[in-house]
Amino acid sequence: MRRSTRTERRQARLGAVLLLVAGICSILASLAFAFLVRNRSDALDVVEQLRDTQARLMLTAACNYVQEAGRLGYDWTTPPATDADIHREAYGWIDVRDGRDGPRGTNGEALFSTALVVDGDGDGTMDRPAWPAIGGVVRAPMHVQRRPPFALAPDVAPNAMVVDELDPDFGRPLLRRPDPEPAIDDRARWWAGDPAPRQETVGLAWFRILRDGPSTFVVTCGAGATQGFRDWQECDRDGHGQDYGGDPALFADAIAQEARLWYRIEWSGAVKDASYHDIQNEYPHFGLKDHYALWPMNSSDSHQCQAHTRGMVGTMRWVQRLREEPARW
Amino acid sequence: MSCADRRAFTLLEALIAVGLSSAIVLAASMALRVAAQSTALARRLSDENALIRAGMGRAHAELDFWSMLDDPDAPTAQPLRAVTAGQGLAFTPLAAVAPPRAPPVPGPEDERGWDPTDPWAMHDPRGWYYGNPAEQDISDVRYGRYGAFANAEPAPVLAPLDFGAGANGYATPAVRHGWLFNQMRTLLDALGYYGYCEYMPANSLYVYYTSHNPSPDWQSGGTALGGLPLELVKPGIGKFASNDGHSGYPRGLYLLTFLASFAAPNADIAAARMQGVSRSYYVTGYGLTWDPNGVEYQRLIRDTETRRPLLPLAPRHWPRIDVSIQRFVRFARFTQIARVRWTSPLTGVAAELNFTGFSTTLRGARQQRRPTSGWARWDNDGTANDATLDTH
C-alpha cells in the first residue's frame, strides 16, 4: 500500500476544514433565511391589520360626511354670481322644521332629485336616483387634496400681540390681519382649491354610503385601491376603467387585497340638551329653590360653554356592524 | 528516517492542532448557539407579535359585536339579559320588560311600547320636553304643576298643596303629553342607565314626571313634590344624578356625566350585582380629585371592565394575552376602551396597548341579536329580516 504523501495529507486536512466551514455557513444561512422569511410573513400580517384599521377609520369619516351632507349644506363648485348664493344650508335628512325627507334648503326646496338616473346593476335601465335622495349612493375615495377649497393657513395667531416693550404697539390686541387667514390670497383659487391628490395618499382608503331610508344609511368602509367601486363592471361603466389600465384582472387584484367592512347607521337631528350647567347649581345652597339664573350658552366660563356640544350637524343614534355583505350598498 | 517517512505528529504539533481545533470548534459552537438563540428569540418575538395582532383583532371584533358581554351563540354567556323585578339589563329583550305596544289611538301621544323604526324626528311635538327644566328635587313647585300637562301616568296623582288658604291643589288632570315620558320610563326600566342614555336623543333631559309619591326614599318610588322621581333627580344618592354641588333639576347628558359615568357592567360580576352596577353612577374625571387613593376608579374598573384570555389553552412558553373591553359615557361621549395586555412567560413583565374605538353602539349590538339566541340576519335584498332584541 502506498503511503500518502505530506502534500496529500495537508490537502485532506484543508478539505476537512472546508467542509466544516461550509457546514457552519449553511447552517447560519438557513437560520438567517428562516428568520427573514418569518419577518416577511410578520410584515404581511401587519399590512393586513393596517388595512383593517384604515377601513375602520373610514367609519368616522363616513359619519362626519353624513352629518355634514344633511345639515351643514352644500357649496357650489364654481363661485356663484352673488355672495347670497354662496352656501345652501340644509335642515337635516329628516327636515327638523317639518319632518319631510331632506335635505332641503332654506325655503323648503329639495336639494335632491328622486329621478332614476343611475344604472346601478348594469342591466341597461336606470334603477336608482342620484345622491342624496333615498336610494342614492355616494362614493368617496379618501385621498388628500393638495389644497381643499377654502383652505385656511395653519397659523393659530395671525394677530399675535407684540411683546417687545420698546415697540409702540406693545401689548395692543391689533387685528390687522384676518383671523383665520386664507391659505392663499387669490380669492377664486381659494374657493376652487387644488383638488389634485397628494400621490402618497392615493389608493389607501375610501367609504361609500347608500341612503336606504330617510335617516338610515348603509356604510361601506374600505382600505385599498378600488376607490369604492363595487366591481369591475361598475368601475368601467362609471368611466374609471382606465384607472386600472382597462384591465379587469388588475381591478380584481385590488379587490383581493382590500379590506371591506359594512355598517348601518342612523342619523338624528338632535344636537345637545339645554342644561349644560346653564342653570346656576349653587343657588339652592342659599335657600333659592327653583330659579332661572342661567349661564349663557356661549359662556367661556370653565366647562359651561357650547364647546361641549357633540355636533351642530346632528348626531348618530346608533351604529351597527353588519356581519355579512348586504345585497345593496 | 526521513521526514517524508514520518507517520505521526510530534507532540508539539498535536498540542497545537488540538488547541486550534478546540478553539475553532468552540467558536463554531458559540456561533451556532448565538444564532440558535437569536432565532429562538426572533421566533418568540414573532409569536408575541402575532399574538398581539390577534389580540388587536379580537378587540376590534369586540368593538363590532359586543360578544364578551353577550354571546348570541352561547345561552350561558348572556348575563345581561336577566330581568329582576320588572327591570332589565343592557341585553334584555325589550318585549320582556316594556309595556305592550298600543296603537296610536286616539293620537300619537297615546302610543305605547317601543317602535324601533321611529326616528324620533325633531319636528315631532310628542318628542318635545314639556317639563320645567328649572324644577328641582327640593322644589316647592312655585312655577306651577308641570306634571299636570306631561306625565308618564295617564291620570297622575298630584301633590296636595297648601298655599296658605287651605287650597288643595288640582283635581286629577287628563294628561295631554304622555308619549315621551312613557318612552323614557320604558327605556330606563328595560336597559339600565347606560342604555337609557344611549337610546335617548342627544338633546334629552333625562327626568320625567310621574304621580307624586311622598316617600323620601327613591327605593320606595319617592318623588319630588312636582312628581320628579328622586332616583333620577336627587343628587348624590349614588343613583342617577351625581353630586356636583346641587343640580337637582332635570339634566342633560353632559351635565350628568361631566364628573361621573354610567357604564355597561362587567359580564363576570355576580348576577346579584348586575342591577346595581347598571343603575348607579361612577365618579370619574375631576370628581376623582376627592378620591386620592383611586378607590372609586378601581371600583369602576372592577365593575365595568370585562376581560378574557385570548387563548384559554396555550403553551406555557407563549406570552399570556388578555383582551378587555370597557364601555361608559362621560362628557356626553360614549366611549369604548379596548385593552390588549400581554405578559412575558420568562420575566413576568406585563405591557398593555389600549385604544378607543368607534364602532357598534349598544343599540346596534342589540339589533345584531335575535331575542332568544343566535345572530339576527339583516339584509336589504327584499326578504324579511330576523327579529332582534328591540323587536316589540
Side-chain angles (χ1 to χ4, degrees), chain B residues 347-366:
Chain B
T347 64
V349 173
E352 181 182 283
L353 185 65
N354 66 64
F355 57 97
T356 58
F358 175 59
S359 188
T360 300
T361 59
L362 173 62
R363 185 167 168 187
R366 290 173 54 88

mmCIF file with all atom_site columns, all heavy atoms in Angstrom, chain B residues 347-366:
data_model
loop_
_atom_site.group_PDB
_atom_site.id
_atom_site.type_symbol
_atom_site.label_atom_id
_atom_site.label_alt_id
_atom_site.label_comp_id
_atom_site.label_asym_id
_atom_site.label_entity_id
_atom_site.label_seq_id
_atom_site.pdbx_PDB_ins_code
_atom_site.Cartn_x
_atom_site.Cartn_y
_atom_site.Cartn_z
_atom_site.occupancy
_atom_site.B_iso_or_equiv
_atom_site.pdbx_formal_charge
_atom_site.auth_seq_id
_atom_site.auth_comp_id
_atom_site.auth_asym_id
_atom_site.auth_atom_id
_atom_site.pdbx_PDB_model_num
ATOM 1   N N   . THR B 1 347 ? -40.163 36.660 32.076 1.00 0.00 ? 347 THR B N   1
ATOM 2   C CA  . THR B 1 347 ? -39.881 37.677 33.092 1.00 0.00 ? 347 THR B CA  1
ATOM 3   C C   . THR B 1 347 ? -41.103 38.073 33.909 1.00 0.00 ? 347 THR B C   1
ATOM 4   O O   . THR B 1 347 ? -40.968 38.692 34.958 1.00 0.00 ? 347 THR B O   1
ATOM 5   C CB  . THR B 1 347 ? -39.332 38.948 32.409 1.00 0.00 ? 347 THR B CB  1
ATOM 6   O OG1 . THR B 1 347 ? -40.356 39.475 31.559 1.00 0.00 ? 347 THR B OG1 1
ATOM 7   C CG2 . THR B 1 347 ? -38.099 38.609 31.570 1.00 0.00 ? 347 THR B CG2 1
ATOM 8   N N   . GLY B 1 348 ? -42.273 37.740 33.424 1.00 0.00 ? 348 GLY B N   1
ATOM 9   C CA  . GLY B 1 348 ? -43.486 38.154 34.123 1.00 0.00 ? 348 GLY B CA  1
ATOM 10  C C   . GLY B 1 348 ? -43.842 39.608 33.891 1.00 0.00 ? 348 GLY B C   1
ATOM 11  O O   . GLY B 1 348 ? -44.817 40.116 34.437 1.00 0.00 ? 348 GLY B O   1
ATOM 12  N N   . VAL B 1 349 ? -43.050 40.291 33.083 1.00 0.00 ? 349 VAL B N   1
ATOM 13  C CA  . VAL B 1 349 ? -43.326 41.703 32.812 1.00 0.00 ? 349 VAL B CA  1
ATOM 14  C C   . VAL B 1 349 ? -44.577 41.817 31.937 1.00 0.00 ? 349 VAL B C   1
ATOM 15  O O   . VAL B 1 349 ? -44.733 41.092 30.955 1.00 0.00 ? 349 VAL B O   1
ATOM 16  C CB  . VAL B 1 349 ? -42.121 42.360 32.109 1.00 0.00 ? 349 VAL B CB  1
ATOM 17  C CG1 . VAL B 1 349 ? -42.464 43.779 31.665 1.00 0.00 ? 349 VAL B CG1 1
ATOM 18  C CG2 . VAL B 1 349 ? -40.927 42.378 33.038 1.00 0.00 ? 349 VAL B CG2 1
ATOM 19  N N   . ALA B 1 350 ? -45.457 42.744 32.317 1.00 0.00 ? 350 ALA B N   1
ATOM 20  C CA  . ALA B 1 350 ? -46.691 42.938 31.556 1.00 0.00 ? 350 ALA B CA  1
ATOM 21  C C   . ALA B 1 350 ? -46.641 44.275 30.821 1.00 0.00 ? 350 ALA B C   1
ATOM 22  O O   . ALA B 1 350 ? -46.043 45.234 31.300 1.00 0.00 ? 350 ALA B O   1
ATOM 23  C CB  . ALA B 1 350 ? -47.895 42.911 32.485 1.00 0.00 ? 350 ALA B CB  1
ATOM 24  N N   . ALA B 1 351 ? -47.218 44.292 29.667 1.00 0.00 ? 351 ALA B N   1
ATOM 25  C CA  . ALA B 1 351 ? -47.337 45.527 28.890 1.00 0.00 ? 351 ALA B CA  1
ATOM 26  C C   . ALA B 1 351 ? -48.756 45.598 28.344 1.00 0.00 ? 351 ALA B C   1
ATOM 27  O O   . ALA B 1 351 ? -49.442 44.578 28.259 1.00 0.00 ? 351 ALA B O   1
ATOM 28  C CB  . ALA B 1 351 ? -46.319 45.556 27.764 1.00 0.00 ? 351 ALA B CB  1
ATOM 29  N N   . GLU B 1 352 ? -49.171 46.802 27.982 1.00 0.00 ? 352 GLU B N   1
ATOM 30  C CA  . GLU B 1 352 ? -50.565 46.956 27.574 1.00 0.00 ? 352 GLU B CA  1
ATOM 31  C C   . GLU B 1 352 ? -50.672 47.964 26.441 1.00 0.00 ? 352 GLU B C   1
ATOM 32  O O   . GLU B 1 352 ? -49.975 48.964 26.417 1.00 0.00 ? 352 GLU B O   1
ATOM 33  C CB  . GLU B 1 352 ? -51.398 47.436 28.762 1.00 0.00 ? 352 GLU B CB  1
ATOM 34  C CG  . GLU B 1 352 ? -52.875 47.616 28.448 1.00 0.00 ? 352 GLU B CG  1
ATOM 35  C CD  . GLU B 1 352 ? -53.642 48.139 29.655 1.00 0.00 ? 352 GLU B CD  1
ATOM 36  O OE1 . GLU B 1 352 ? -53.920 47.344 30.569 1.00 0.00 ? 352 GLU B OE1 1
ATOM 37  O OE2 . GLU B 1 352 ? -53.942 49.354 29.680 1.00 0.00 ? 352 GLU B OE2 1
ATOM 38  N N   . LEU B 1 353 ? -51.532 47.647 25.523 1.00 0.00 ? 353 LEU B N   1
ATOM 39  C CA  . LEU B 1 353 ? -51.875 48.574 24.448 1.00 0.00 ? 353 LEU B CA  1
ATOM 40  C C   . LEU B 1 353 ? -53.347 48.877 24.612 1.00 0.00 ? 353 LEU B C   1
ATOM 41  O O   . LEU B 1 353 ? -54.163 47.952 24.626 1.00 0.00 ? 353 LEU B O   1
ATOM 42  C CB  . LEU B 1 353 ? -51.611 47.889 23.114 1.00 0.00 ? 353 LEU B CB  1
ATOM 43  C CG  . LEU B 1 353 ? -51.786 48.696 21.840 1.00 0.00 ? 353 LEU B CG  1
ATOM 44  C CD1 . LEU B 1 353 ? -50.760 49.815 21.792 1.00 0.00 ? 353 LEU B CD1 1
ATOM 45  C CD2 . LEU B 1 353 ? -51.630 47.787 20.633 1.00 0.00 ? 353 LEU B CD2 1
ATOM 46  N N   . ASN B 1 354 ? -53.694 50.116 24.813 1.00 0.00 ? 354 ASN B N   1
ATOM 47  C CA  . ASN B 1 354 ? -55.124 50.407 24.926 1.00 0.00 ? 354 ASN B CA  1
ATOM 48  C C   . ASN B 1 354 ? -55.524 51.509 23.962 1.00 0.00 ? 354 ASN B C   1
ATOM 49  O O   . ASN B 1 354 ? -54.739 52.396 23.637 1.00 0.00 ? 354 ASN B O   1
ATOM 50  C CB  . ASN B 1 354 ? -55.539 50.720 26.367 1.00 0.00 ? 354 ASN B CB  1
ATOM 51  C CG  . ASN B 1 354 ? -54.939 51.982 26.895 1.00 0.00 ? 354 ASN B CG  1
ATOM 52  O OD1 . ASN B 1 354 ? -55.229 53.065 26.380 1.00 0.00 ? 354 ASN B OD1 1
ATOM 53  N ND2 . ASN B 1 354 ? -54.095 51.877 27.903 1.00 0.00 ? 354 ASN B ND2 1
ATOM 54  N N   . PHE B 1 355 ? -56.722 51.395 23.481 1.00 0.00 ? 355 PHE B N   1
ATOM 55  C CA  . PHE B 1 355 ? -57.191 52.346 22.481 1.00 0.00 ? 355 PHE B CA  1
ATOM 56  C C   . PHE B 1 355 ? -58.706 52.435 22.541 1.00 0.00 ? 355 PHE B C   1
ATOM 57  O O   . PHE B 1 355 ? -59.382 51.527 23.012 1.00 0.00 ? 355 PHE B O   1
ATOM 58  C CB  . PHE B 1 355 ? -56.746 51.919 21.078 1.00 0.00 ? 355 PHE B CB  1
ATOM 59  C CG  . PHE B 1 355 ? -57.197 50.540 20.680 1.00 0.00 ? 355 PHE B CG  1
ATOM 60  C CD1 . PHE B 1 355 ? -58.342 50.381 19.912 1.00 0.00 ? 355 PHE B CD1 1
ATOM 61  C CD2 . PHE B 1 355 ? -56.487 49.427 21.058 1.00 0.00 ? 355 PHE B CD2 1
ATOM 62  C CE1 . PHE B 1 355 ? -58.765 49.118 19.536 1.00 0.00 ? 355 PHE B CE1 1
ATOM 63  C CE2 . PHE B 1 355 ? -56.901 48.154 20.692 1.00 0.00 ? 355 PHE B CE2 1
ATOM 64  C CZ  . PHE B 1 355 ? -58.034 48.002 19.931 1.00 0.00 ? 355 PHE B CZ  1
ATOM 65  N N   . THR B 1 356 ? -59.220 53.558 22.076 1.00 0.00 ? 356 THR B N   1
ATOM 66  C CA  . THR B 1 356 ? -60.663 53.699 21.977 1.00 0.00 ? 356 THR B CA  1
ATOM 67  C C   . THR B 1 356 ? -61.069 53.421 20.535 1.00 0.00 ? 356 THR B C   1
ATOM 68  O O   . THR B 1 356 ? -60.293 53.626 19.607 1.00 0.00 ? 356 THR B O   1
ATOM 69  C CB  . THR B 1 356 ? -61.127 55.113 22.360 1.00 0.00 ? 356 THR B CB  1
ATOM 70  O OG1 . THR B 1 356 ? -60.469 56.047 21.509 1.00 0.00 ? 356 THR B OG1 1
ATOM 71  C CG2 . THR B 1 356 ? -60.794 55.421 23.800 1.00 0.00 ? 356 THR B CG2 1
ATOM 72  N N   . GLY B 1 357 ? -62.282 52.952 20.393 1.00 0.00 ? 357 GLY B N   1
ATOM 73  C CA  . GLY B 1 357 ? -62.739 52.629 19.050 1.00 0.00 ? 357 GLY B CA  1
ATOM 74  C C   . GLY B 1 357 ? -64.141 53.141 18.817 1.00 0.00 ? 357 GLY B C   1
ATOM 75  O O   . GLY B 1 357 ? -64.952 53.229 19.744 1.00 0.00 ? 357 GLY B O   1
ATOM 76  N N   . PHE B 1 358 ? -64.413 53.506 17.586 1.00 0.00 ? 358 PHE B N   1
ATOM 77  C CA  . PHE B 1 358 ? -65.743 53.956 17.202 1.00 0.00 ? 358 PHE B CA  1
ATOM 78  C C   . PHE B 1 358 ? -66.363 52.864 16.354 1.00 0.00 ? 358 PHE B C   1
ATOM 79  O O   . PHE B 1 358 ? -65.902 52.590 15.245 1.00 0.00 ? 358 PHE B O   1
ATOM 80  C CB  . PHE B 1 358 ? -65.651 55.270 16.426 1.00 0.00 ? 358 PHE B CB  1
ATOM 81  C CG  . PHE B 1 358 ? -66.971 55.745 15.896 1.00 0.00 ? 358 PHE B CG  1
ATOM 82  C CD1 . PHE B 1 358 ? -68.022 56.008 16.758 1.00 0.00 ? 358 PHE B CD1 1
ATOM 83  C CD2 . PHE B 1 358 ? -67.173 55.919 14.548 1.00 0.00 ? 358 PHE B CD2 1
ATOM 84  C CE1 . PHE B 1 358 ? -69.251 56.434 16.272 1.00 0.00 ? 358 PHE B CE1 1
ATOM 85  C CE2 . PHE B 1 358 ? -68.395 56.351 14.049 1.00 0.00 ? 358 PHE B CE2 1
ATOM 86  C CZ  . PHE B 1 358 ? -69.430 56.606 14.921 1.00 0.00 ? 358 PHE B CZ  1
ATOM 87  N N   . SER B 1 359 ? -67.360 52.217 16.898 1.00 0.00 ? 359 SER B N   1
ATOM 88  C CA  . SER B 1 359 ? -67.972 51.130 16.143 1.00 0.00 ? 359 SER B CA  1
ATOM 89  C C   . SER B 1 359 ? -69.386 50.918 16.658 1.00 0.00 ? 359 SER B C   1
ATOM 90  O O   . SER B 1 359 ? -70.071 51.882 17.015 1.00 0.00 ? 359 SER B O   1
ATOM 91  C CB  . SER B 1 359 ? -67.123 49.867 16.262 1.00 0.00 ? 359 SER B CB  1
ATOM 92  O OG  . SER B 1 359 ? -67.616 48.874 15.403 1.00 0.00 ? 359 SER B OG  1
ATOM 93  N N   . THR B 1 360 ? -69.795 49.674 16.743 1.00 0.00 ? 360 THR B N   1
ATOM 94  C CA  . THR B 1 360 ? -71.176 49.349 17.071 1.00 0.00 ? 360 THR B CA  1
ATOM 95  C C   . THR B 1 360 ? -71.569 49.906 18.441 1.00 0.00 ? 360 THR B C   1
ATOM 96  O O   . THR B 1 360 ? -70.864 49.723 19.430 1.00 0.00 ? 360 THR B O   1
ATOM 97  C CB  . THR B 1 360 ? -71.352 47.823 17.058 1.00 0.00 ? 360 THR B CB  1
ATOM 98  O OG1 . THR B 1 360 ? -71.021 47.347 15.753 1.00 0.00 ? 360 THR B OG1 1
ATOM 99  C CG2 . THR B 1 360 ? -72.771 47.438 17.393 1.00 0.00 ? 360 THR B CG2 1
ATOM 100 N N   . THR B 1 361 ? -72.717 50.566 18.477 1.00 0.00 ? 361 THR B N   1
ATOM 101 C CA  . THR B 1 361 ? -73.248 51.070 19.742 1.00 0.00 ? 361 THR B CA  1
ATOM 102 C C   . THR B 1 361 ? -74.081 49.968 20.397 1.00 0.00 ? 361 THR B C   1
ATOM 103 O O   . THR B 1 361 ? -74.347 48.924 19.791 1.00 0.00 ? 361 THR B O   1
ATOM 104 C CB  . THR B 1 361 ? -74.126 52.295 19.491 1.00 0.00 ? 361 THR B CB  1
ATOM 105 O OG1 . THR B 1 361 ? -75.197 51.897 18.609 1.00 0.00 ? 361 THR B OG1 1
ATOM 106 C CG2 . THR B 1 361 ? -73.339 53.405 18.839 1.00 0.00 ? 361 THR B CG2 1
ATOM 107 N N   . LEU B 1 362 ? -74.508 50.226 21.631 1.00 0.00 ? 362 LEU B N   1
ATOM 108 C CA  . LEU B 1 362 ? -75.326 49.223 22.317 1.00 0.00 ? 362 LEU B CA  1
ATOM 109 C C   . LEU B 1 362 ? -76.581 48.904 21.496 1.00 0.00 ? 362 LEU B C   1
ATOM 110 O O   . LEU B 1 362 ? -76.946 47.743 21.324 1.00 0.00 ? 362 LEU B O   1
ATOM 111 C CB  . LEU B 1 362 ? -75.717 49.706 23.712 1.00 0.00 ? 362 LEU B CB  1
ATOM 112 C CG  . LEU B 1 362 ? -76.716 48.801 24.451 1.00 0.00 ? 362 LEU B CG  1
ATOM 113 C CD1 . LEU B 1 362 ? -76.124 47.410 24.669 1.00 0.00 ? 362 LEU B CD1 1
ATOM 114 C CD2 . LEU B 1 362 ? -77.128 49.417 25.779 1.00 0.00 ? 362 LEU B CD2 1
ATOM 115 N N   . ARG B 1 363 ? -77.209 49.941 20.985 1.00 0.00 ? 363 ARG B N   1
ATOM 116 C CA  . ARG B 1 363 ? -78.420 49.686 20.208 1.00 0.00 ? 363 ARG B CA  1
ATOM 117 C C   . ARG B 1 363 ? -78.090 48.874 18.952 1.00 0.00 ? 363 ARG B C   1
ATOM 118 O O   . ARG B 1 363 ? -78.837 47.971 18.575 1.00 0.00 ? 363 ARG B O   1
ATOM 119 C CB  . ARG B 1 363 ? -79.095 51.012 19.836 1.00 0.00 ? 363 ARG B CB  1
ATOM 120 C CG  . ARG B 1 363 ? -80.415 50.790 19.134 1.00 0.00 ? 363 ARG B CG  1
ATOM 121 C CD  . ARG B 1 363 ? -81.224 52.052 19.034 1.00 0.00 ? 363 ARG B CD  1
ATOM 122 N NE  . ARG B 1 363 ? -82.332 51.873 18.117 1.00 0.00 ? 363 ARG B NE  1
ATOM 123 C CZ  . ARG B 1 363 ? -83.139 52.832 17.719 1.00 0.00 ? 363 ARG B CZ  1
ATOM 124 N NH1 . ARG B 1 363 ? -82.965 54.052 18.168 1.00 0.00 ? 363 ARG B NH1 1
ATOM 125 N NH2 . ARG B 1 363 ? -84.117 52.594 16.873 1.00 0.00 ? 363 ARG B NH2 1
ATOM 126 N N   . GLY B 1 364 ? -76.973 49.189 18.326 1.00 0.00 ? 364 GLY B N   1
ATOM 127 C CA  . GLY B 1 364 ? -76.554 48.409 17.167 1.00 0.00 ? 364 GLY B CA  1
ATOM 128 C C   . GLY B 1 364 ? -76.303 46.965 17.544 1.00 0.00 ? 364 GLY B C   1
ATOM 129 O O   . GLY B 1 364 ? -76.668 46.034 16.811 1.00 0.00 ? 364 GLY B O   1
ATOM 130 N N   . ALA B 1 365 ? -75.675 46.770 18.710 1.00 0.00 ? 365 ALA B N   1
ATOM 131 C CA  . ALA B 1 365 ? -75.398 45.400 19.165 1.00 0.00 ? 365 ALA B CA  1
ATOM 132 C C   . ALA B 1 365 ? -76.696 44.653 19.446 1.00 0.00 ? 365 ALA B C   1
ATOM 133 O O   . ALA B 1 365 ? -76.812 43.453 19.172 1.00 0.00 ? 365 ALA B O   1
ATOM 134 C CB  . ALA B 1 365 ? -74.520 45.438 20.417 1.00 0.00 ? 365 ALA B CB  1
ATOM 135 N N   . ARG B 1 366 ? -77.665 45.337 19.998 1.00 0.00 ? 366 ARG B N   1
ATOM 136 C CA  . ARG B 1 366 ? -78.943 44.680 20.273 1.00 0.00 ? 366 ARG B CA  1
ATOM 137 C C   . ARG B 1 366 ? -79.648 44.323 18.960 1.00 0.00 ? 366 ARG B C   1
ATOM 138 O O   . ARG B 1 366 ? -80.330 43.311 18.875 1.00 0.00 ? 366 ARG B O   1
ATOM 139 C CB  . ARG B 1 366 ? -79.813 45.590 21.144 1.00 0.00 ? 366 ARG B CB  1
ATOM 140 C CG  . ARG B 1 366 ? -79.293 45.743 22.581 1.00 0.00 ? 366 ARG B CG  1
ATOM 141 C CD  . ARG B 1 366 ? -80.110 46.787 23.346 1.00 0.00 ? 366 ARG B CD  1
ATOM 142 N NE  . ARG B 1 366 ? -81.521 46.507 23.321 1.00 0.00 ? 366 ARG B NE  1
ATOM 143 C CZ  . ARG B 1 366 ? -82.167 45.736 24.195 1.00 0.00 ? 366 ARG B CZ  1
ATOM 144 N NH1 . ARG B 1 366 ? -81.503 45.188 25.201 1.00 0.00 ? 366 ARG B NH1 1
ATOM 145 N NH2 . ARG B 1 366 ? -83.460 45.526 24.090 1.00 0.00 ? 366 ARG B NH2 1
#
